[in-house]
């Protein structure tokens, strides 16, 4: 049953069918299925398949945007049903997609997971200028700065942000992620942490704040 509903959600997002995405999401709730699992196995899986199709030139930018819209309509329904850890004050994180990059689907999933794990997230959005991360972290006295990049070109900007953050002596540690980013890259640019997905982002964020990394 669960797998069928996840598949329904995947099909709905892939075909950009908002009505079906809403129907599938409501079924997730009715059947008491874990909302986060539905987002990852239904929606994120659809975006992964869409990505492959895009790379093979089987679909184009408009189809990707239509899929992203269907995914957002599903997340709107599922988000309030995500299990929270019933803890607040996990920490304060300034989060955004780096300059030159407008891919925010993954960043939004990371935000969702952090918020449901008790973090206060200051979301700067996408295509965020280098200095904005530093200024905002200073202004709100953030524990962490979270950087997301989806392109090999934009990920280079992360290095500038790490460098500027160290120079400006802010106390915020830097966590990075996104499809082209790796643990090796994080070490190379001296970021404090790297996470491969939204679940790991929460784990690493907590470890960074506790000083375990
Ligand atoms: Co574009 N795009 N895109 N795109 N797009 C990619 C990234 C690309 C790899 C496709 C390809 O050509 N093979 C390619 C980049 C190539 C490169 O690296 N140089 C590309 C390109 C080239 C472009 C344009 C330039 C296309 C054009 O206009 N000619 C343009 C870019 C404009 C710009 O940014 N300046 C463009 C535009 C778009 C759309 C607007 C149509 C759309 C984005 C919609 C949106 O985000 N609102 C889009 C999409 C959807 C994709 C693909 C197909 C899917 C990305 C996605 O949403 N994945 C992508 C191809 C692919 O990935 N196979 C592609 C699903 C998402 C859940 O995963 O974002 O990886 P992801 O997030 C994960 C993890 O990475 C991690 O956790 C998330 C959840 O588990 N994570 C973090 C992410 N951030 C993290 C931060 C953390 C920790 C973990 O800590 C802070």
């Amino acid at each position: 049953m669960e797998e069928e509903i996840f598949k329904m959600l995947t099909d709905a997002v892939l075909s950009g069918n908002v009505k079906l995405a809403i129907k599938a999401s409501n079924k997730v709730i009715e059947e008491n299925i874990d909302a986060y699992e539905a987002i990852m196995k239904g929606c994120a899986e659809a975006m992964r398949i869409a990505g492959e199709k895009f790379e093979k030139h089987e679909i184009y930018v408009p189809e990707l945007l239509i899929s992203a819209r269907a995914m957002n309509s599903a997340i709107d329904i599922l988000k309030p049903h995500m299990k929270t850890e019933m803890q607040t004050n996990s920490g304060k994180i300034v989060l955004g997609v780096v300059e030159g990059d407008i891919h925010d689907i993954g960043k939004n999933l990371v935000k969702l997971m952090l918020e449901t794990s008790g973090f206060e997230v200051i979301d700067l959005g996408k295509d965020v200028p280098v200095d904005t991360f530093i200024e905002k972290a200073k202004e709100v006295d953030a524990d962490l700065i979270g950087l997301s990049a989806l392109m090999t070109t934009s990920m280079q900007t992360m290095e500038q942000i790490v460098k500027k953050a160290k120079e400006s002596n802010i106390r915020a540690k830097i966590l990075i992620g996104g499809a082209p980013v790796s643990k090796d890259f994080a070490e190379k640019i001296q970021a404090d942490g790297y996470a491969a997905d939204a679940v790991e982002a929460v784990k690493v964020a907590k470890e960074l704040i506790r000083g375990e990394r």
Side-chain angles (χ1 to χ4, degrees):
M1 183 67 170
E2 254 185 43
E3 294 307 320
E4 263 173 51
I5 297 176
F6 294 157
K7 167 111 185 25
M8 189 173 160
L9 201 48
T10 302
D11 291 343
V13 172
L14 255 184
S15 59
N17 187 329
V18 172
K19 270 192 189 156
L20 190 60
I22 292 173
K23 194 174 160 195
S25 305
N26 284 328
K27 265 201 163 304
V28 169
I29 311 304
E30 278 162 29
E31 300 292 333
N32 248 328
I33 296 170
D34 186 275
Y36 176 71
E37 215 180 321
I39 291 175
M40 293 315 284
K41 294 191 176 166
C43 303
E45 172 61 8
M47 291 314 297
R48 188 192 62 76
I49 300 171
E52 284 177 5
K53 286 179 180 280
F54 183 67
E55 276 156 32
K56 289 187 207 149
H57 304 287
E58 289 171 11
I59 60 168
Y60 297 94
V61 170
E63 284 94 333
L64 284 179
L65 288 175
I66 290 167
S67 287
R69 190 184 56 179
M71 170 165 164
N72 288 337
S73 61
I75 289 180
D76 284 347
I77 294 172
L78 295 170
K79 187 178 171 181
H81 297 272
M82 281 177 65
K83 290 190 194 105
T84 59
E85 285 186 11
M86 300 308 286
Q87 89 191 67
T88 50
N89 272 334
S90 293
K92 202 184 272 184
I93 175 165
V94 167
L95 180 70
V97 180
V98 301
E99 193 162 355
D101 198 328
I102 60 161
H103 297 89
D104 64 356
I105 295 172
K107 183 268 295 170
N108 290 340
L109 285 178
V110 171
K111 177 185 177 189
L112 190 67
M113 280 310 291
L114 287 167
E115 282 182 340
T116 51
S117 305
F119 283 86
E120 184 187 338
V121 181
I122 295 99
D123 184 0
L124 299 179
K126 56 197 172 189
D127 192 11
V128 180
V130 172
D131 291 335
T132 308
F133 284 103
I134 320 283
E135 283 158 14
K136 198 64 187 180
K138 235 185 235 170
E139 183 193 320
V140 303
D141 191 26
D143 300 290
L144 289 178
I145 295 177
L147 306 175
S148 178
L150 257 287
M151 301 199 294
T152 47
T153 44
S154 63
M155 71 191 257
Q156 308 309 328
T157 311
M158 289 174 156
E159 188 166 9
Q160 287 177 45
I161 300 170
V162 172
K163 201 163 168 268
K164 286 210 168 184
K166 310 262 174 204
E167 281 167 9
S168 63
N169 278 328
I170 48 169
R171 70 176 189 92
K173 291 183 175 172
I174 300 192
L175 168 66
I176 67 169
V181 181
S182 66
K183 196 164 184 288
D184 285 350
F185 177 75
E187 279 166 13
K188 182 178 157 259
I189 66 166
Q190 296 182 340
D192 300 290
Y194 158 78
D197 57 38
V199 175
E200 205 185 331
V202 172
K203 183 174 162 274
V204 178
K206 284 185 175 168
E207 288 171 358
L208 286 172
I209 288 175
R210 284 194 219 112
E212 291 166 8
R213 278 176 190 251

